[in-house]
Every structure is written in structure tokens, then in C-alpha cells.
Amino acid sequence: MDMTFGSGESDERIFLILAAAERLKQKNADIIREVTGQGYMVIVITTNQPSAILRRTYMQNGIDLTKIYCIDAITKYALGSVPEGVEQTTFISNPANLTDMGIAVTEVLHARRDEKTCILFDSISTMLIYLPSVNISKFIHFVTNKLRLLDVSGIFLAVEEGLDPMMLSQLTTFVDRVIR
């Protein structure tokens, strides 16, 4: 995967990566390894897997966890409470709460404004369980514009066959490149 952000002649900073459903979790780890290898701090917005599961996967893949911050929309929803003592994580109530998700993204980006930062959104496909595609498209449009204005890189991960054609065409217009 070639995701060198804004280097050389390319101003590409925002990507939509489409992966097979059975490869989504490993694709997430592969992306994190590549991006942290480029010296980025990665903010993972997870609507698919609890952050504890993702962190375990990252550890198993030899990824430096100090370079990962999670905005977790699953754990509190699944457990009904937030686990104690979890560092580098913001928990929001559920994947449908786009207001809290947007606030969390803004706060974390503000706190890390002096760092080379990339956002990984995992997964757009999972959000379709909780929200209509039009709401998700509006939110992704908001996030991509915020990233552009703040000069922050972003990656949106989705299941290859998990998006309807209308949503896929909208998302394609929001990003710099689609990687299959």
C-alpha cells in the first residue's frame, strides 16, 4: 500500500481504503504499522472493534502503542460503562453519537496540534448498522474538511462490498484517493 502523505508532487492526504470483510482487522493493523513507520501519531476512531481488542492486535503486530490514541465508540455501548485505567483513549457512548465523536476528534486534534498526526476511521461500513448512509456521508464530509483545514492526514477504512454505490461515490469525492 502506498500511502506516503503529501510527499513530492502529491498532495494526497486523505484516503478511502476498501478491504474484504475477512481482512478488515488485519488491514487496520497493516495501515497502522505503515503510518506509524512514517513517524505519525495515529488517532484511531473505532466503531468496529473495542479499543482493547485493537491494541492487542497492534501489540501482536509489533506496533508501538505509544503512537496510538483511540476514540472508542464500542466499549461503553457494549459494557454500559467505561473500564478504569485505560490510557490514550476517549470513550463515547455509541457509534451513532456523531456529535460526541466530532467533539472527541476536535479535542484530540487540538491537543496534538504540534504532532505529525493521522486519523484512521475504522470502519465506515460498521456505522451503517447504526445510522442512515446520508448521516454518515455528512459526518465524513465534516471530518475530511476539518482534516484538510488543519493539514492532518486521514484514512477511512470500509468493507469493499459494504457500501452502496451512492455512498461510495460520495465518499470518493471527499478523499484524495481510493485504495482497493
Side-chain angles (χ1 to χ4, degrees), residues 10 15 19 30 37-38 40-42 60 65-66 76 89 101 106-107 114 119 127-128 136 139 141 162 177-178:
S10 171
F15 298 89
D30 293 345
Q38 293 178 34
Y40 283 83
M41 172 70 178
V42 182
Q60 292 167 349
L65 296 181
T66 64
K76 189 173 181 180
T89 304
M101 197 178 297
T106 300
E107 288 175 351
D114 296 330
I119 285 192
M127 291 184 72
L128 289 166
I136 298 167
F139 181 72
H141 188 243
R177 185 160 38 124
V178 177

Side-chain angles (χ1 to χ4, degrees), residues 5-6 12-15 35 40 109 117-120 147-148 150-155:
F5 301 109
E12 294 179 337
R13 291 197 158 298
I14 302 176
F15 298 89
V35 174
Y40 283 83
L109 286 174
T117 305
C118 176
I119 285 192
L120 171 66
L147 296 178
R148 288 186 199 290
L150 296 175
D151 199 28
V152 174
S153 300
I155 301 165

Side-chain angles (χ1 to χ4, degrees), residues 27 46 58 60-61 74 90 93 109 130 132 141 144 169 179:
K27 183 60 69 179
T46 180
Y58 299 155
Q60 292 167 349
N61 281 272
I74 293 296
T90 298
S93 61
L109 286 174
Y130 302 95
H141 188 243
T144 56
S169 68
I179 299 172

Side-chain angles (χ1 to χ4, degrees), residues 109-167:
L109 286 174
H110 181 71
R112 302 198 177 273
R113 67 181 168 266
D114 296 330
E115 295 179 57
K116 192 171 153 183
T117 305
C118 176
I119 285 192
L120 171 66
F121 198 103
D122 179 29
S123 133
I124 294 171
S125 309
T126 303
M127 291 184 72
L128 289 166
I129 297 168
Y130 302 95
L131 294 161
S133 60
V134 68
N135 293 17
I136 298 167
S137 290
K138 287 177 186 176
F139 181 72
I140 300 301
H141 188 243
F142 158 77
V143 171
T144 56
N145 281 305
K146 179 175 280 298
L147 296 178
R148 288 186 199 290
L149 290 168
L150 296 175
D151 199 28
V152 174
S153 300
I155 301 165
F156 297 87
L157 190 56
V159 173
E160 195 165 14
E161 304 298 324
L163 302 176
D164 65 63
M166 175 69 122
M167 184 173 194

